Amino acid sequence: MSEALPDGWVWATLEDLLAAEPRAITDGPFGSNLKSSHYTDSGARVLRLQNVGDGEFRDERAYISLEHYENLKNHNVQAGDLILASLGEELPRVALVPDLEGPAIVKADVIRARLHPDLNSKWVLYALQAPATRAVAMSKIRGVGRPRLGLGEIRKLPIPLPPLAEQLRIVETLEGHLSRLDAANRYIARVRQSTTSFDSTRRCELLDPWLSSTRKLKTLLASPLINGRSVPTDDDGFPVLRLTAIKNRVLDLSARKGGAWQREDATPFLVERGDFMVSRGNGSLHLVGRGALAVGDPDPIAFPDTMIRVRPNPYVVDPEFLAFVWDSQIVRRQIETAARTTAGIYKVNQRILEALDIPIPPLDVQAQIIEAARDHFAVVERLMEETGMAQKRSEHLRRSLLAEAFTGRLVRQESADEPAVEVLKRIEVEHYSRPKKLRPRKSGPNKTTLPPPKITVVPAGTQEELAL
Protein backbone atom coordinates (compact mmCIF):
# COMPACT_ATOMS: atom_id res chain seq x y z
CA MET A 1 0.00 0.00 0.00
CA SER A 2 1.21 3.53 -0.74
CA GLU A 3 2.01 5.78 2.22
CA ALA A 4 0.17 8.67 0.53
CA LEU A 5 -3.12 9.70 2.09
CA PRO A 6 -6.33 10.81 0.33
CA ASP A 7 -6.87 14.51 -0.39
CA GLY A 8 -7.64 16.50 2.74
CA TRP A 9 -6.03 13.94 5.06
CA VAL A 10 -2.84 14.43 7.05
CA TRP A 11 -0.53 12.31 9.16
CA ALA A 12 -0.51 13.16 12.86
CA THR A 13 0.64 11.51 16.06
CA LEU A 14 -1.48 10.75 19.08
CA GLU A 15 0.09 13.60 21.04
CA ASP A 16 -0.87 16.03 18.26
CA LEU A 17 -4.51 15.23 18.97
CA LEU A 18 -4.54 15.76 22.72
CA ALA A 19 -6.67 18.25 24.61
CA ALA A 20 -5.05 21.60 25.46
CA GLU A 21 -4.76 20.94 29.18
CA PRO A 22 -2.05 19.75 31.58
CA ARG A 23 -1.43 15.99 31.68
CA ALA A 24 -3.71 15.34 28.71
CA ILE A 25 -1.87 12.03 28.44
CA THR A 26 -0.60 10.20 31.51
CA ASP A 27 0.15 6.78 32.87
CA GLY A 28 -0.89 5.52 36.27
CA PRO A 29 0.90 5.89 39.61
CA PHE A 30 3.74 3.46 40.33
CA GLY A 31 5.25 1.87 43.41
CA SER A 32 4.19 2.94 46.86
CA ASN A 33 1.72 5.51 45.51
CA LEU A 34 -0.72 2.70 44.75
CA LYS A 35 -0.24 -0.56 46.65
CA SER A 36 -2.51 -3.53 47.24
CA SER A 37 -3.18 -2.19 50.75
CA HIS A 38 -4.81 0.90 49.20
CA TYR A 39 -7.62 -1.09 47.59
CA THR A 40 -11.06 -0.87 49.17
CA ASP A 41 -14.56 -2.22 48.58
CA SER A 42 -15.89 1.11 47.30
CA GLY A 43 -14.82 4.66 46.50
CA ALA A 44 -13.00 5.85 43.37
CA ARG A 45 -12.56 3.40 40.49
CA VAL A 46 -9.11 2.15 39.49
CA LEU A 47 -8.86 1.24 35.80
CA ARG A 48 -6.36 -1.58 35.25
CA LEU A 49 -5.19 -3.71 32.35
CA GLN A 50 -8.27 -5.89 32.91
CA ASN A 51 -10.47 -2.94 31.89
CA VAL A 52 -8.79 -2.47 28.51
CA GLY A 53 -10.42 -4.78 26.00
CA ASP A 54 -9.47 -4.79 22.34
CA GLY A 55 -11.72 -1.89 21.35
CA GLU A 56 -14.10 -2.28 24.27
CA PHE A 57 -14.22 -1.22 27.91
CA ARG A 58 -14.45 -4.15 30.32
CA ASP A 59 -16.32 -3.38 33.51
CA GLU A 60 -13.92 -5.05 35.97
CA ARG A 61 -14.17 -3.33 39.35
CA ALA A 62 -11.44 -2.15 41.73
CA TYR A 63 -11.54 0.79 44.12
CA ILE A 64 -9.49 3.06 46.34
CA SER A 65 -10.80 5.42 48.99
CA LEU A 66 -11.95 8.87 47.98
CA GLU A 67 -9.32 10.30 50.33
CA HIS A 68 -6.50 8.48 48.55
CA TYR A 69 -7.97 9.45 45.18
CA GLU A 70 -7.33 13.11 46.10
CA ASN A 71 -3.61 12.29 46.25
CA LEU A 72 -3.68 10.66 42.80
CA LYS A 73 -6.19 12.76 40.87
CA ASN A 74 -3.53 13.88 38.36
CA HIS A 75 -4.12 10.40 36.90
CA ASN A 76 -7.89 10.87 36.72
CA VAL A 77 -10.14 9.47 34.02
CA GLN A 78 -13.45 10.73 32.70
CA ALA A 79 -16.04 9.62 30.18
CA GLY A 80 -14.77 9.95 26.60
CA ASP A 81 -11.10 9.43 27.47
CA LEU A 82 -9.13 6.70 25.76
CA ILE A 83 -7.27 4.16 27.89
CA LEU A 84 -4.44 2.17 26.33
CA ALA A 85 -2.68 -0.92 27.63
CA SER A 86 1.09 -0.47 27.58
CA LEU A 87 1.73 -4.11 28.52
CA GLY A 88 0.65 -7.21 26.60
CA GLU A 89 1.25 -9.49 23.66
CA GLU A 90 -0.66 -7.35 21.13
CA LEU A 91 -0.48 -3.58 21.43
CA PRO A 92 -1.90 -1.02 21.44
CA ARG A 93 -5.02 -2.37 23.12
CA VAL A 94 -7.38 0.55 23.55
CA ALA A 95 -10.86 1.30 24.89
CA LEU A 96 -13.17 4.29 25.17
CA VAL A 97 -14.14 5.08 28.77
CA PRO A 98 -17.92 5.20 29.41
CA ASP A 99 -19.63 7.20 32.15
CA LEU A 100 -18.28 5.65 35.35
CA GLU A 101 -20.70 7.57 37.60
CA GLY A 102 -17.89 8.69 39.87
CA PRO A 103 -14.19 9.55 40.07
CA ALA A 104 -11.56 7.19 38.65
CA ILE A 105 -7.84 6.92 37.98
CA VAL A 106 -5.65 4.70 35.81
CA LYS A 107 -3.19 2.24 37.30
CA ALA A 108 0.41 1.65 36.20
CA ASP A 109 0.68 0.08 32.73
CA VAL A 110 -2.50 1.86 31.60
CA ILE A 111 -2.21 5.13 29.63
CA ARG A 112 -5.01 7.69 29.69
CA ALA A 113 -5.29 9.98 26.66
CA ARG A 114 -7.73 12.91 26.63
CA LEU A 115 -8.41 14.08 23.08
CA HIS A 116 -9.15 17.58 21.82
CA PRO A 117 -12.93 18.20 21.52
CA ASP A 118 -12.58 19.11 17.81
CA LEU A 119 -11.80 15.44 17.06
CA ASN A 120 -13.98 12.37 16.93
CA SER A 121 -12.86 10.05 19.75
CA LYS A 122 -14.18 6.96 18.02
CA TRP A 123 -12.15 7.74 14.92
CA VAL A 124 -8.97 7.79 17.00
CA LEU A 125 -10.08 4.62 18.82
CA TYR A 126 -10.46 2.76 15.53
CA ALA A 127 -7.28 4.29 14.11
CA LEU A 128 -5.30 2.88 17.02
CA GLN A 129 -6.72 -0.58 16.26
CA ALA A 130 -6.02 -0.35 12.53
CA PRO A 131 -3.56 -2.89 11.07
CA ALA A 132 -1.15 -0.13 10.02
CA THR A 133 -0.95 1.35 13.52
CA ARG A 134 -0.62 -2.09 15.07
CA ALA A 135 2.29 -2.86 12.73
CA VAL A 136 4.11 0.30 13.81
CA ALA A 137 3.39 -0.36 17.49
CA MET A 138 4.56 -3.97 17.37
CA SER A 139 7.89 -2.83 15.90
CA LYS A 140 8.40 -0.55 18.94
CA ILE A 141 7.57 -3.07 21.66
CA ARG A 142 10.36 -3.92 24.09
CA GLY A 143 10.70 -6.91 26.39
CA VAL A 144 10.06 -10.63 25.93
CA GLY A 145 8.50 -11.91 29.13
CA ARG A 146 6.55 -8.66 29.62
CA PRO A 147 6.15 -6.97 26.21
CA ARG A 148 5.80 -3.23 26.76
CA LEU A 149 5.03 -0.13 24.71
CA GLY A 150 6.19 2.89 26.70
CA LEU A 151 4.40 6.20 27.10
CA GLY A 152 6.91 7.91 24.80
CA GLU A 153 6.21 5.45 21.98
CA ILE A 154 2.46 5.66 22.52
CA ARG A 155 2.64 9.46 22.17
CA LYS A 156 4.26 9.02 18.75
CA LEU A 157 1.85 6.46 17.31
CA PRO A 158 0.88 7.61 13.77
CA ILE A 159 -2.75 8.52 13.15
CA PRO A 160 -4.11 9.15 9.62
CA LEU A 161 -6.46 12.08 10.08
CA PRO A 162 -9.24 12.94 7.58
CA PRO A 163 -11.43 16.05 7.73
CA LEU A 164 -13.77 16.01 10.73
CA ALA A 165 -16.88 15.63 8.56
CA GLU A 166 -15.29 12.63 6.85
CA GLN A 167 -14.32 11.18 10.24
CA LEU A 168 -17.98 11.21 11.18
CA ARG A 169 -19.07 9.57 7.91
CA ILE A 170 -16.43 6.86 8.19
CA VAL A 171 -17.24 6.10 11.83
CA GLU A 172 -20.97 5.85 11.03
CA THR A 173 -20.38 3.48 8.10
CA LEU A 174 -17.75 1.48 9.94
CA GLU A 175 -19.96 0.99 12.96
CA GLY A 176 -22.81 -0.18 10.72
CA HIS A 177 -20.56 -2.94 9.37
CA LEU A 178 -19.09 -3.71 12.79
CA SER A 179 -22.54 -3.96 14.38
CA ARG A 180 -23.42 -6.79 11.99
CA LEU A 181 -20.08 -8.41 12.65
CA ASP A 182 -20.67 -8.07 16.39
CA ALA A 183 -24.07 -9.75 16.00
CA ALA A 184 -22.37 -12.67 14.26
CA ASN A 185 -19.79 -12.79 17.05
CA ARG A 186 -22.52 -12.91 19.68
CA TYR A 187 -24.09 -15.87 17.89
CA ILE A 188 -20.71 -17.64 17.82
CA ALA A 189 -20.29 -16.89 21.53
CA ARG A 190 -23.72 -18.41 22.28
CA VAL A 191 -22.77 -21.57 20.40
CA ARG A 192 -19.52 -21.81 22.33
CA GLN A 193 -21.36 -21.20 25.60
CA SER A 194 -23.85 -23.95 24.75
CA THR A 195 -20.94 -26.26 23.98
CA THR A 196 -19.37 -25.43 27.35
CA SER A 197 -22.69 -26.13 29.10
CA PHE A 198 -22.97 -29.45 27.29
CA ASP A 199 -19.44 -30.27 28.43
CA SER A 200 -20.24 -29.40 32.04
CA THR A 201 -23.48 -31.40 32.03
CA ARG A 202 -21.75 -34.50 30.65
CA ARG A 203 -19.01 -34.29 33.28
CA CYS A 204 -21.65 -34.12 36.01
CA GLU A 205 -23.46 -37.17 34.62
CA LEU A 206 -20.27 -39.22 34.71
CA LEU A 207 -19.16 -38.06 38.15
CA ASP A 208 -22.45 -37.75 40.09
CA PRO A 209 -22.50 -41.40 41.29
CA TRP A 210 -19.14 -40.84 43.00
CA LEU A 211 -19.70 -37.52 44.77
CA SER A 212 -19.81 -39.29 48.12
CA SER A 213 -16.47 -40.99 47.45
CA THR A 214 -14.10 -38.05 47.68
CA ARG A 215 -10.53 -37.77 48.88
CA LYS A 216 -8.33 -34.79 49.55
CA LEU A 217 -5.93 -34.09 46.71
CA LYS A 218 -3.06 -34.30 49.21
CA THR A 219 -3.76 -38.04 49.65
CA LEU A 220 -3.66 -38.70 45.89
CA LEU A 221 -0.09 -37.58 45.24
CA ALA A 222 3.02 -39.55 44.35
CA SER A 223 5.12 -36.63 45.59
CA PRO A 224 4.33 -33.32 47.31
CA LEU A 225 3.07 -30.35 45.34
CA ILE A 226 5.84 -28.04 44.18
CA ASN A 227 5.95 -24.56 42.69
CA GLY A 228 8.16 -23.95 39.69
CA ARG A 229 11.08 -21.55 39.60
CA SER A 230 11.38 -18.11 38.04
CA VAL A 231 14.42 -17.67 35.80
CA PRO A 232 15.45 -14.82 33.47
CA THR A 233 15.09 -15.42 29.74
CA ASP A 234 18.14 -16.74 27.88
CA ASP A 235 17.53 -18.00 24.35
CA ASP A 236 20.44 -20.43 24.65
CA GLY A 237 19.56 -21.63 28.16
CA PHE A 238 17.73 -24.72 29.45
CA PRO A 239 14.09 -24.69 28.29
CA VAL A 240 11.23 -23.70 30.57
CA LEU A 241 7.51 -23.67 29.84
CA ARG A 242 5.49 -20.50 29.43
CA LEU A 243 2.21 -20.15 31.31
CA THR A 244 0.41 -20.36 27.94
CA ALA A 245 1.39 -24.04 27.86
CA ILE A 246 -1.66 -24.67 30.07
CA LYS A 247 -4.37 -24.82 27.45
CA ASN A 248 -7.19 -27.22 26.51
CA ARG A 249 -6.39 -29.93 29.10
CA VAL A 250 -3.15 -31.09 27.39
CA LEU A 251 0.14 -29.37 28.23
CA ASP A 252 1.49 -27.61 25.15
CA LEU A 253 5.22 -28.38 25.32
CA SER A 254 5.94 -26.06 22.39
CA ALA A 255 5.01 -23.01 24.50
CA ARG A 256 8.50 -22.54 25.89
CA LYS A 257 11.48 -20.22 26.17
CA GLY A 258 15.13 -20.55 27.11
CA GLY A 259 15.98 -19.89 30.76
CA ALA A 260 19.17 -18.56 32.29
CA TRP A 261 20.02 -21.80 34.13
CA GLN A 262 21.70 -25.15 33.62
CA ARG A 263 20.25 -28.67 33.49
CA GLU A 264 21.35 -29.44 37.06
CA ASP A 265 19.54 -26.34 38.36
CA ALA A 266 16.36 -27.29 36.47
CA THR A 267 16.33 -30.98 37.47
CA PRO A 268 13.93 -30.59 40.46
CA PHE A 269 11.45 -28.86 38.15
CA LEU A 270 11.49 -31.23 35.15
CA VAL A 271 8.14 -32.21 33.68
CA GLU A 272 7.39 -35.94 33.46
CA ARG A 273 4.67 -37.94 31.74
CA GLY A 274 1.50 -37.86 33.84
CA ASP A 275 2.34 -34.58 35.59
CA PHE A 276 -0.61 -32.23 35.90
CA MET A 277 0.39 -28.55 35.81
CA VAL A 278 -1.84 -25.93 37.45
CA SER A 279 -1.73 -22.16 36.92
CA ARG A 280 -1.16 -20.24 40.14
CA GLY A 281 -2.75 -16.94 39.17
CA ASN A 282 -4.87 -15.09 36.62
CA GLY A 283 -6.76 -11.83 36.30
CA SER A 284 -9.97 -13.81 35.58
CA LEU A 285 -11.48 -15.97 38.29
CA HIS A 286 -12.68 -18.62 35.84
CA LEU A 287 -9.10 -19.15 34.59
CA VAL A 288 -7.21 -19.32 37.88
CA GLY A 289 -6.21 -22.85 38.86
CA ARG A 290 -6.79 -24.31 35.41
CA GLY A 291 -4.65 -27.31 34.60
CA ALA A 292 -3.18 -29.36 31.77
CA LEU A 293 -1.77 -32.88 31.60
CA ALA A 294 1.66 -33.85 30.27
CA VAL A 295 1.00 -36.72 27.86
CA GLY A 296 3.64 -38.82 26.17
CA ASP A 297 7.26 -38.54 27.31
CA PRO A 298 8.33 -34.88 27.32
CA ASP A 299 11.81 -33.90 26.23
CA PRO A 300 13.75 -32.36 29.13
CA ILE A 301 11.89 -29.18 30.04
CA ALA A 302 11.17 -27.45 33.34
CA PHE A 303 8.14 -25.53 34.58
CA PRO A 304 8.07 -21.90 35.83
CA ASP A 305 7.04 -20.31 39.10
CA THR A 306 3.62 -19.48 37.59
CA MET A 307 2.71 -23.19 37.81
CA ILE A 308 2.22 -25.77 40.54
CA ARG A 309 3.10 -29.37 39.69
CA VAL A 310 0.57 -32.03 40.70
CA ARG A 311 2.11 -35.50 40.36
CA PRO A 312 -0.70 -38.02 40.98
CA ASN A 313 -0.15 -41.51 42.39
CA PRO A 314 -1.19 -43.79 39.47
CA TYR A 315 -2.11 -46.59 41.93
CA VAL A 316 -4.88 -44.36 43.29
CA VAL A 317 -5.88 -41.98 40.51
CA ASP A 318 -5.30 -42.15 36.78
CA PRO A 319 -3.68 -38.86 35.67
CA GLU A 320 -6.10 -38.68 32.74
CA PHE A 321 -9.03 -39.04 35.13
CA LEU A 322 -7.64 -36.26 37.32
CA ALA A 323 -7.41 -34.01 34.24
CA PHE A 324 -11.05 -34.85 33.44
CA VAL A 325 -12.42 -34.18 36.91
CA TRP A 326 -10.34 -31.02 37.37
CA ASP A 327 -12.54 -29.01 34.99
CA SER A 328 -15.79 -30.26 36.50
CA GLN A 329 -18.09 -27.95 38.43
CA ILE A 330 -17.31 -29.98 41.55
CA VAL A 331 -13.66 -28.97 41.55
CA ARG A 332 -14.03 -25.54 39.91
CA ARG A 333 -16.45 -24.36 42.61
CA GLN A 334 -13.91 -25.25 45.29
CA ILE A 335 -11.05 -23.50 43.48
CA GLU A 336 -12.98 -20.32 42.74
CA THR A 337 -14.34 -20.14 46.30
CA ALA A 338 -10.89 -20.58 47.85
CA ALA A 339 -8.92 -18.36 45.42
CA ARG A 340 -7.54 -15.17 46.91
CA THR A 341 -7.28 -11.85 45.08
CA THR A 342 -4.46 -9.33 45.34
CA ALA A 343 -4.63 -6.12 43.30
CA GLY A 344 -7.08 -7.76 40.90
CA ILE A 345 -5.11 -11.00 40.39
CA TYR A 346 -6.72 -14.23 41.60
CA LYS A 347 -4.32 -16.77 43.06
CA VAL A 348 -4.24 -20.32 44.42
CA ASN A 349 -1.50 -21.96 46.42
CA GLN A 350 -0.41 -25.44 47.48
CA ARG A 351 -2.50 -25.35 50.66
CA ILE A 352 -5.68 -24.57 48.68
CA LEU A 353 -5.01 -27.34 46.17
CA GLU A 354 -4.12 -29.95 48.81
CA ALA A 355 -7.51 -29.39 50.49
CA LEU A 356 -9.60 -29.98 47.34
CA ASP A 357 -12.12 -32.82 47.57
CA ILE A 358 -11.76 -35.00 44.47
CA PRO A 359 -14.36 -37.69 43.56
CA ILE A 360 -12.37 -40.94 43.30
CA PRO A 361 -14.10 -44.09 41.99
CA PRO A 362 -12.16 -47.38 41.71
CA LEU A 363 -9.47 -47.44 39.02
CA ASP A 364 -11.54 -49.69 36.72
CA VAL A 365 -14.42 -47.20 36.89
CA GLN A 366 -11.99 -44.34 36.26
CA ALA A 367 -10.93 -46.16 33.08
CA GLN A 368 -14.58 -46.44 31.97
CA ILE A 369 -15.17 -42.74 32.60
CA ILE A 370 -12.02 -41.85 30.68
CA GLU A 371 -13.20 -43.91 27.70
CA ALA A 372 -16.61 -42.20 27.75
CA ALA A 373 -14.92 -38.83 28.15
CA ARG A 374 -12.80 -39.37 25.04
CA ASP A 375 -15.92 -39.73 22.88
CA HIS A 376 -17.41 -36.67 24.58
CA PHE A 377 -14.26 -34.62 24.04
CA ALA A 378 -14.23 -35.51 20.35
CA VAL A 379 -17.67 -33.88 19.93
CA VAL A 380 -16.80 -30.86 22.07
CA GLU A 381 -13.47 -30.28 20.34
CA ARG A 382 -15.08 -30.47 16.88
CA LEU A 383 -17.67 -27.85 17.86
CA MET A 384 -15.03 -25.62 19.44
CA GLU A 385 -12.78 -25.96 16.40
CA GLU A 386 -15.57 -24.95 14.01
CA THR A 387 -16.60 -21.95 16.10
CA GLY A 388 -12.92 -21.04 16.52
CA MET A 389 -12.54 -20.94 12.73
CA ALA A 390 -15.60 -18.68 12.56
CA GLN A 391 -14.00 -16.37 15.12
CA LYS A 392 -10.81 -16.16 13.07
CA ARG A 393 -12.80 -15.27 9.96
CA SER A 394 -14.56 -12.58 11.98
CA GLU A 395 -11.20 -11.17 13.09
CA HIS A 396 -10.00 -11.12 9.46
CA LEU A 397 -13.13 -9.27 8.37
CA ARG A 398 -12.64 -6.70 11.13
CA ARG A 399 -9.05 -6.07 10.03
CA SER A 400 -10.23 -5.73 6.44
CA LEU A 401 -12.87 -3.18 7.42
CA LEU A 402 -10.33 -1.12 9.34
CA ALA A 403 -7.89 -1.29 6.44
CA GLU A 404 -10.60 0.04 4.11
CA ALA A 405 -11.56 2.79 6.55
CA PHE A 406 -8.05 4.11 7.06
CA THR A 407 -7.12 4.30 3.41
CA GLY A 408 -10.14 6.45 2.54
CA ARG A 409 -11.96 3.77 0.54
CA LEU A 410 -14.93 3.16 2.83
CA VAL A 411 -17.00 6.33 2.17
CA ARG A 412 -17.17 9.13 -0.36
CA GLN A 413 -15.01 12.23 -0.04
CA GLU A 414 -16.51 15.71 -0.16
CA SER A 415 -14.47 18.59 -1.59
CA ALA A 416 -16.32 21.01 0.70
CA ASP A 417 -14.92 19.33 3.86
CA GLU A 418 -12.40 21.41 5.77
CA PRO A 419 -8.95 19.78 5.36
CA ALA A 420 -7.67 18.03 8.47
CA VAL A 421 -4.51 20.16 8.55
CA GLU A 422 -6.65 23.19 9.43
CA VAL A 423 -7.97 21.41 12.50
CA LEU A 424 -4.43 20.51 13.54
CA LYS A 425 -3.34 24.12 13.15
CA ARG A 426 -6.14 25.30 15.45
CA ILE A 427 -5.21 22.68 18.03
CA GLU A 428 -1.57 23.78 17.89
CA VAL A 429 -2.50 27.42 18.32
CA GLU A 430 -4.62 26.54 21.32
CA HIS A 431 -1.78 24.52 22.88
CA TYR A 432 0.83 27.22 22.40
CA SER A 433 -1.38 30.08 23.52
CA ARG A 434 -1.15 28.65 27.03
CA PRO A 435 1.55 29.74 29.51
CA LYS A 436 4.88 28.14 28.62
CA LYS A 437 5.01 25.96 31.74
CA LEU A 438 1.61 24.46 30.83
CA ARG A 439 2.46 23.64 27.23
CA PRO A 440 2.61 19.98 26.27
CA ARG A 441 5.96 18.26 26.01
CA LYS A 442 6.60 17.44 22.34
CA SER A 443 8.41 14.22 21.52
CA GLY A 444 8.84 14.60 17.76
CA PRO A 445 8.70 16.94 14.77
CA ASN A 446 5.84 19.32 14.09
CA LYS A 447 2.75 17.59 12.70
CA THR A 448 2.74 19.60 9.50
CA THR A 449 6.22 18.27 8.65
CA LEU A 450 5.81 14.79 10.10
CA PRO A 451 6.94 12.28 7.46
CA PRO A 452 4.57 9.41 6.70
CA PRO A 453 5.48 6.35 8.79
CA LYS A 454 6.83 3.18 7.23
CA ILE A 455 3.80 0.95 7.56
CA THR A 456 2.35 -2.12 5.96
CA VAL A 457 -1.39 -2.72 5.94
CA VAL A 458 -2.90 -6.19 5.68
CA PRO A 459 -4.75 -6.67 2.39
CA ALA A 460 -8.31 -5.44 2.52
CA GLY A 461 -11.11 -7.96 2.26
CA THR A 462 -13.30 -8.41 -0.76
CA GLN A 463 -16.45 -6.39 -1.15
CA GLU A 464 -18.44 -9.57 -0.50
CA GLU A 465 -16.69 -9.98 2.85
CA LEU A 466 -17.26 -6.34 3.76
CA ALA A 467 -20.96 -6.55 2.93
CA LEU A 468 -21.54 -9.05 5.75
Side-chain angles (χ1 to χ4, degrees):
M1 168 189 152
S2 170
E3 295 169 352
L5 292 174
D7 291 342
W9 292 42
V10 66
W11 282 111
T13 63
L14 180 60
E15 73 175 347
D16 292 329
L17 310 181
L18 297 174
E21 62 179 63
R23 300 183 69 89
I25 186 167
T26 184
D27 51 6
F30 284 84
S32 60
N33 291 317
L34 184 59
K35 302 183 293 186
S36 58
S37 58
H38 289 132
Y39 284 87
T40 59
D41 293 331
S42 62
R45 292 279 297 271
V46 179
L47 303 188
R48 305 161 295 160
L49 289 173
Q50 295 96 313
N51 295 104
V52 190
D54 193 7
E56 63 176 358
F57 181 84
R58 294 173 180 164
D59 196 22
E60 298 281 345
R61 302 291 180 107
Y63 299 92
I64 56 173
S65 69
L66 293 176
E67 292 77 13
H68 193 52
Y69 166 80
E70 289 299 316
N71 300 324
L72 303 176
K73 61 184 180 182
N74 281 341
H75 309 275
N76 72 338
V77 186
Q78 63 190 34
D81 288 345
L82 295 180
I83 51 174
L84 300 93
S86 66
L87 189 69
E89 295 293 334
E90 188 174 31
L91 300 172
R93 212 168 66 243
V94 59
L96 188 64
V97 177
D99 184 2
L100 299 175
E101 299 180 347
I105 62 166
V106 287
K107 188 180 181 293
D109 300 325
V110 178
I111 309 298
R112 184 265 289 149
R114 185 162 298 154
L115 301 177
H116 193 277
D118 284 356
L119 299 166
N120 185 280
S121 297
K122 287 189 176 181
W123 168 266
V124 181
L125 171 79
Y126 291 130
L128 288 167
Q129 298 177 72
T133 309
R134 280 256 165 91
V136 172
M138 295 301 285
S139 71
K140 304 294 184 181
I141 287 176
R142 299 292 179 264
V144 178
R146 289 169 61 82
R148 181 181 297 279
L149 190 66
L151 177 57
E153 297 295 346
I154 286 176
R155 285 175 175 270
K156 293 182 285 186
L157 287 174
I159 306 290
L161 194 69
L164 178 59
E166 192 172 349
Q167 291 177 40
L168 298 173
R169 292 195 299 273
I170 293 174
V171 166
E172 182 180 9
T173 301
L174 184 60
E175 292 194 332
H177 287 306
L178 291 178
S179 66
R180 290 187 286 276
L181 191 55
D182 289 342
N185 288 338
R186 287 192 293 271
Y187 175 76
I188 294 170
R190 287 196 298 271
V191 173
R192 291 179 73 85
Q193 181 59 48
S194 297
T195 303
T196 301
S197 298
F198 166 66
D199 179 46
S200 179
T201 300
R202 184 59 176 150
R203 287 176 195 268
C204 289
E205 290 174 352
L206 293 170
L207 294 173
D208 275 353
W210 305 101
L211 295 184
S212 59
S213 302
T214 63
R215 292 179 59 173
K216 299 293 185 185
L217 180 66
K218 185 176 182 179
T219 69
L220 306 177
L221 304 176
S223 61
L225 299 179
I226 180 175
N227 292 2
R229 178 175 161 184
S230 175
V231 292
T233 298
D234 179 355
D235 292 341
D236 298 322
F238 192 83
V240 60
L241 291 171
R242 298 181 183 273
L243 183 59
T244 53
I246 296 179
K247 184 179 180 181
N248 296 335
R249 301 187 311 275
V250 175
L251 197 65
D252 180 5
L253 298 175
S254 68
R256 60 175 67 192
K257 66 176 183 177
W261 57 349
Q262 303 298 318
R263 167 67 182 260
E264 54 269 26
D265 301 317
T267 296
F269 309 100
L270 292 180
V271 178
E272 297 181 6
R273 180 176 187 166
D275 285 349
F276 189 70
M277 311 306 302
V278 176
S279 66
R280 293 177 57 196
N282 199 281
S284 298
L285 182 60
H286 77 282
L287 293 177
V288 68
R290 292 288 180 180
L293 181 67
V295 299
D297 294 307
D299 63 318
I301 189 168
F303 60 97
D305 64 325
T306 53
M307 299 181 188
I308 299 174
R309 184 182 68 196
V310 180
R311 183 166 284 173
N313 181 350
Y315 296 103
V316 181
V317 56
D318 189 305
E320 197 171 344
F321 176 80
L322 180 63
F324 172 76
V325 74
W326 197 264
D327 281 337
S328 68
Q329 290 184 7
I330 303 153
V331 174
R332 285 305 307 170
R333 274 197 296 264
Q334 297 178 67
I335 290 175
E336 293 181 12
T337 299
R340 300 292 178 258
T341 179
T342 302
I345 302 298
Y346 296 96
K347 297 180 180 179
V348 295
N349 55 33
Q350 294 180 26
R351 180 182 56 79
I352 289 173
L353 297 189
E354 287 176 342
L356 295 176
D357 290 312
I358 310 295
I360 299 295
L363 283 171
D364 60 332
V365 177
Q366 291 181 35
Q368 295 172 17
I369 292 175
I370 290 168
E371 190 62 33
R374 285 174 183 156
D375 294 337
H376 161 74
F377 285 146
V379 174
V380 169
E381 287 172 2
R382 185 174 68 252
L383 287 171
M384 296 302 275
E385 180 180 357
E386 290 175 355
T387 54
M389 290 175 62
Q391 284 184 324
K392 288 181 179 179
R393 176 172 169 78
S394 171
E395 292 167 3
H396 172 74
L397 287 171
R398 184 181 182 88
R399 289 194 298 271
S400 297
L401 281 165
L402 291 171
E404 291 285 297
F406 293 97
T407 51
R409 297 195 297 262
L410 196 61
V411 302
R412 71 186 185 282
Q413 290 189 274
E414 298 288 352
S415 58
D417 292 343
E418 179 187 48
V421 69
E422 299 301 325
V423 176
L424 288 183
K425 287 178 180 178
R426 287 200 301 274
I427 293 174
E428 185 175 35
V429 168
E430 189 172 339
H431 275 293
Y432 285 89
S433 64
R434 298 159 60 203
K436 188 172 182 180
K437 65 180 181 179
L438 297 180
R439 293 177 188 176
R441 177 175 62 85
K442 299 294 288 182
S443 60
N446 182 277
K447 56 204 161 272
T448 58
T449 60
L450 183 73
K454 302 294 185 182
I455 55 178
T456 302
V457 178
V458 296
T462 64
Q463 291 303 315
E464 289 79 6
E465 286 176 326
L466 297 179
L468 288 177

